[in-house]
């Protein structure tokens, strides 16, 4: 996964879903919905300062609920990109006036509640479906 993240010729979309595929072999148009993570993935250093102050504690699905995580968290160790994400359905402060403790704690200023989902269209020649587990 890390190698994929670093590869100069691979564009990695995480938190994303394929919404539509049109075309045929050699010329597919793929519509991708890239969901907002509310953290600038290029700037985040995964320092964890934001999670330390977040008051929301939830079971960590990666560890089958045996451990806990915050509403702002890293999905799992070695996640690519190495950036935190906010689960907005758990966050108290989608309106920053309500909480925003993480915003104050992040020295790099990479938390942004105004981010929105993006729709991206890629043109590709081939599609490989690999479910992984
Ligand atoms: S969002 Fe900010 S405080 Fe949180 S891990 Fe990233 S850099 Fe650190
Ligand atoms: S704004 Fe949301 S993610 Fe940030 S500290 Fe508050 S509850 Fe946690």
């Amino acid at each position: 996964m890390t190698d994929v993240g670093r590869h100069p010729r691979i564009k990695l979309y995480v938190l994303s879903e394929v919404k539509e595929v049109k075309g045929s072999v050699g010329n597919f148009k793929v519509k991708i919905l890239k969901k907002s993570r509310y953290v600038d993935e290029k700037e985040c250093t995964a320092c964890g300062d934001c999670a330390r102050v977040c008051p929301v504690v939830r079971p960590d699905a990666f560890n089958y609920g045996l451990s806990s995580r915050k509403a702002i968290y890293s999905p799992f160790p070695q996640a690519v990109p190495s950036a935190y994400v906010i689960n907005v359905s758990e966050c108290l402060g989608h309106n920053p006036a309500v909480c925003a403790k993480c915003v104050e704690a992040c020295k790099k200023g990479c938390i942004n509640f105004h981010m929105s989902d993006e729709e991206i269209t890629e043109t590709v020649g081939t599609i490989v479906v690999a479910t992984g587990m």
Side-chain angles (χ1 to χ4, degrees):
M1 193 66 175
T2 310
D3 287 343
V4 169
R6 285 189 191 133
H7 198 287
R9 300 193 64 193
I10 298 177
K11 217 185 274 179
L12 187 63
Y13 292 110
V14 298
L15 277 183
S16 302
E17 31 184 282
V18 173
K19 298 303 283 184
E20 186 183 88
V21 178
K22 280 187 176 167
S24 57
V25 178
N27 186 26
F28 287 109
K29 295 260 184 284
V30 184
K31 214 178 264 180
I32 300 159
L33 179 69
K34 187 174 192 291
K35 295 179 189 160
S36 175
R37 67 189 302 134
Y38 302 98
V39 175
D40 183 335
E41 63 190 53
K42 294 197 179 76
E43 292 298 319
C44 177
T45 58
C47 67
D49 288 351
C50 51
R52 274 186 276 281
V53 297
C54 177
V56 177
V57 181
R58 289 286 181 272
D60 184 355
F62 179 71
N63 284 324
Y64 293 95
L66 296 173
S67 60
S68 60
R69 61 157 177 81
K70 302 297 185 73
I72 183 164
Y73 61 103
S74 171
F76 55 91
Q78 287 92 42
V80 176
S82 178
Y84 274 43
V85 59
I86 292 178
N87 183 326
V88 275
S89 64
E90 298 168 350
C91 170
L92 303 174
H94 197 206
N95 174 353
V98 178
C99 174
K101 287 184 195 291
C102 56
V103 179
E104 289 159 23
C106 180
K107 293 175 199 76
K108 294 210 71 189
C110 44
I111 297 167
N112 177 4
F113 285 108
H114 300 292
M115 276 185 189
S116 48
D117 296 351
E118 275 178 78
E119 199 172 86
I120 297 155
T121 302
E122 289 283 359
T123 304
V124 297
T126 307
I127 295 175
V128 178
V129 178
T131 56
M133 181 58 192

